[in-house]
Amino acid sequence: MTTGDFVRVYTPGTGESQPWYINDHTFIRDEATGTWHLFGITHAEPADPENEDSFAHATAPSPRGPWTKQSMALTVDPSYGESHLWAPHVIRSGSTYYMFYAGGQTIGDPSRSQINLATSTDLIHWERRAGGPLFRDGHEARDPMVTRVGSQWVMYYTATETATGGRNVVAYRTSPDLIAWSPRKTAFTAAGDGWTESPYVTQRNGLWYLFIGGSATDDYVGAEVYASSDPLHFTATGQVGRLPSHAAEVVTDRDGSQWLSSAGWGTGGVDLAPLTWRARPYTPHHLYALSPDKSAVHQRTAGNSWTRIGGPAGTLIGGDGGLFATSPTTGDVFKYNGTPDNWTKVGGPGAQFVVTGGTLYGLSPDRKAVFRWTGSGTTWTRIGGPTATLYAGGGGLFATSPTTGDIFKYNGTPDNWTKVGGPGKTFAVTNEALYGLSPNGGAVLKWTGSGTSWTKVGGPAGTLFGGGAGLFATNPGNGDVYRFSGVPDNWSKVGGPGKAFAVAGDRLYGLSPDKSAVFQWSGSATFQWTKVGGPAASIVTE
């Protein structure tokens, strides 16, 4: 399971005197008018969860916008026992819309957090249930999500093993009428101190999928996905993906297309990315570092813990297809087999190697030909001619001409390449797109995917780098790094300068300017960066 590139579709701070955020949110389409409605936790930056006392509301003709800000949908009511408003989820049953949400605690007791209900017939005017909260639970029970399973309704929500604490779980209750709810049971239990924030459950092709996220400061943006044939029981062994989203919701448009949403503290708004359901095993992304003297290759295991897996090495090559390294003496390329010091030679030296789509590609030492490793022994197939530089990612394999600088896309068969653009200072490939920096470094452009047509999306940049977590660029003056929102000329600063950066499927890593430390970006301006490693010559992900 993967996503395409996220694109900003709604910015709550528009028209305000300061930035605002949307956190847990919900999308629903008005069946009578066709209008889409977005509701969500909101507040002015920076994050202030205990004072999130209103639900944002916006409307649009499509999930992709354009979105129009509306008046707040609901405001905290202390007389109802509410201390804040968190995580709305809206569904329709008959002619009534039901908004389930977390209302906090009446007496400051997180073991008795309340799950509340408001109803509406037009998605504009909401009335709280006269009978008070639907139920109370803990510890800080929150983030309700409701869906139909067979003849009953099921509410999933975040809680702990007991009302007073324990491991984080996804709890659930069932109901015949959306009002009376059964005693709680457990659908999923997190390992160790793992989080179970913002549970979202959906069905596809006979399987049920659970999306959950976290609130850890070093890993704020990241949704884990688990599959099960039983919608009331998910396990860690059923993980099928990890996606670069916080408070993920799956949105299905009228044409059947599906999108994954993302929002949160310090992220600037609500983003959508196309969601792709792939029938392939989930492989966690890993971070690797080459020691300063290049004598050892290390793999990050957890936190700031690393394990030596090989060495020495000349260069590391990573991507969606594994980890490879070159010999510092012969230049031969080796594939890492998953256990320390277990490497297999797969080829001789090359001027450059890249990995994409589960395949390793190489440029001959004299740059006269491009080759593809067959995946067997040291056998390679020639697929292209003279090349200056290779660029690769989820969006494909690209190569630049050594004479003109023009860039070409590989179409999957030997010597079948199509020109897609002219020369550039550098290029970067994300999950679904190719970006380029103009020859003078004055503008960032995105290939439209058609012919040699490109669209300007940003101004001057020092360099570009991309991956599953998006497109990033450095400031040519001071080296600060910025993330592209998907909207032309809309970039946000995410960090200061670095010697090198590596983009995984859901994370961004950086090597400090003096190469003394490795850092991980949280995905949020609220939490910024966490040190995860020491000195390194280079870093790569796969």
Side-chain angles (χ1 to χ4, degrees):
M1 176 179 294
T2 62
T3 64
D5 297 342
F6 278 90
V7 174
R8 177 64 39 80
V9 296
Y10 181 58
T11 304
T14 300
E16 303 289 344
S17 60
Q18 64 187 109
W20 280 63
Y21 61 80
I22 300 287
N23 203 347
D24 292 53
H25 54 280
T26 184
F27 292 84
I28 189 164
R29 180 176 175 272
D30 186 330
E31 294 299 322
T33 66
T35 299
W36 282 86
H37 292 252
L38 166 68
F39 302 93
I41 296 173
T42 195
H43 194 276
E45 294 281 12
D48 190 4
E50 296 304 326
N51 288 304
E52 293 168 346
D53 56 10
S54 298
F55 283 146
H57 180 208
T59 56
S62 160
R64 286 159 281 178
W67 288 92
T68 300
K69 182 186 296 187
Q70 305 293 343
S71 300
M72 296 295 181
L74 207 64
T75 301
V76 71
D77 184 354
S79 68
Y80 199 76
E82 296 173 346
S83 59
H84 52 241
L85 297 184
W86 288 352
H89 183 73
V90 180
I91 65 168
R92 181 178 65 88
S93 180
S95 59
T96 302
Y97 294 93
Y98 294 74
M99 177 189 286
F100 302 90
Y101 63 96
Q105 311 96 36
T106 302
I107 55 176
D109 180 0
S111 70
R112 287 179 52 75
S113 297
Q114 58 190 47
I115 300 298
N116 295 346
L117 170 65
T119 58
S120 173
T121 57
D122 60 7
L123 291 167
I124 297 173
H125 304 93
W126 294 91
E127 293 186 6
R128 289 172 172 82
R129 175 176 176 265
L134 293 172
F135 58 85
R136 297 178 185 275
D137 200 353
H139 181 272
E140 282 195 353
R142 59 195 183 278
D143 304 353
M145 181 268 169
V146 176
T147 191
R148 189 77 171 175
V149 177
S151 61
Q152 63 185 353
W153 295 97
V154 177
M155 179 190 293
Y156 302 88
Y157 60 99
T158 301
T160 49
E161 287 180 297
T162 69
T164 57
R167 288 182 297 176
N168 291 305
V169 303
V170 174
Y172 76 89
R173 299 179 185 234
T174 61
S175 173
D177 59 5
L178 297 171
I179 303 297
W181 293 90
S182 70
R184 72 123 98 175
K185 294 184 178 180
T186 300
F188 177 84
T189 302
D193 58 356
W195 294 83
T196 56
E197 297 286 311
S198 314
Y200 186 92
V201 175
T202 188
Q203 185 183 32
R204 179 182 173 86
N205 296 335
L207 288 176
W208 293 85
Y209 294 85
L210 167 67
F211 295 72
I212 55 174
S215 286
T217 58
D218 63 341
D219 208 14
Y220 185 71
V221 174
E224 296 178 349
V225 190
Y226 301 87
S228 174
S229 59
D230 181 352
L232 305 180
H233 182 68
F234 296 86
T235 65
T237 58
Q239 187 169 1
V240 294
R242 192 178 192 282
L243 306 174
S245 167
H246 180 82
E249 300 264 325
V250 177
V251 185
T252 303
D253 208 344
R254 293 191 66 189
D255 61 4
S257 60
Q258 290 193 305
W259 305 80
L260 191 73
S261 67
S262 181
W265 301 331
T267 62
V270 180
D271 299 336
L272 286 182
L275 182 61
T276 301
W277 304 79
R278 288 184 180 177
R280 58 185 295 185
Y282 166 65
T283 302
H285 295 285
H286 294 113
L287 173 65
Y288 302 93
L290 185 59
S291 62
D293 62 359
K294 298 190 175 183
S295 65
V297 179
H298 296 270
Q299 176 183 327
R300 183 191 179 203
T301 52
N304 57 5
S305 298
W306 296 71
T307 297
R308 181 190 178 280
I309 61 171
T315 58
L316 300 182
I317 307 102
D320 181 17
L323 173 69
F324 300 83
T326 61
S327 164
T329 54
T330 66
D332 293 341
V333 62
F334 293 77
K335 184 180 190 300
Y336 178 52
N337 296 318
T339 56
D341 294 313
N342 186 351
W343 298 72
T344 301
K345 179 180 175 181
V346 299
Q352 183 192 3
F353 296 94
V354 296
V355 182
T356 183
T359 302
L360 173 66
Y361 297 89
L363 182 58
S364 62
D366 60 3
R367 299 183 182 271
K368 297 296 185 182
V370 180
F371 291 85
R372 175 180 60 83
W373 179 46
T374 63
S376 175
T378 56
T379 304
W380 293 68
T381 299
R382 182 188 178 281
I383 62 168
T387 294
T389 306
L390 297 174
Y391 298 92
L397 174 68
F398 300 84
T400 57
S401 166
T403 54
T404 65
D406 294 342
I407 187 164
F408 294 77
K409 184 179 190 298
Y410 178 52
N411 297 317
T413 56
D415 294 314
N416 185 351
W417 299 72
T418 300
K419 179 181 175 180
V420 298
K425 184 177 180 180
T426 189
F427 297 88
V429 187
T430 62
N431 263 3
E432 64 176 5
L434 169 67
Y435 295 86
L437 184 57
S438 61
N440 65 358
V444 180
L445 301 103
K446 177 183 179 180
W447 179 45
T448 63
S450 175
T452 56
S453 177
W454 293 67
T455 299
K456 179 181 178 293
V457 298
T463 190
L464 305 176
F465 45 97
L471 175 71
F472 300 84
T474 58
N475 182 306
N478 58 25
D480 290 346
V481 63
Y482 289 75
R483 181 178 185 270
F484 178 47
S485 73
V487 176
D489 296 314
N490 189 334
W491 297 70
S492 56
K493 180 181 175 181
V494 301
K499 185 66 176 180
F501 295 92
V503 187
D506 58 349
R507 295 186 177 100
L508 168 66
Y509 300 95
L511 183 60
S512 61
D514 61 359
K515 297 187 177 183
S516 65
V518 180
F519 292 84
Q520 175 182 309
W521 180 47
S522 68
S524 163
T526 300
F527 302 119
Q528 291 293 319
W529 296 74
T530 299
K531 181 181 176 182
V532 298
S538 63
I539 56 174
V540 300
T541 63
E542 62 90 11

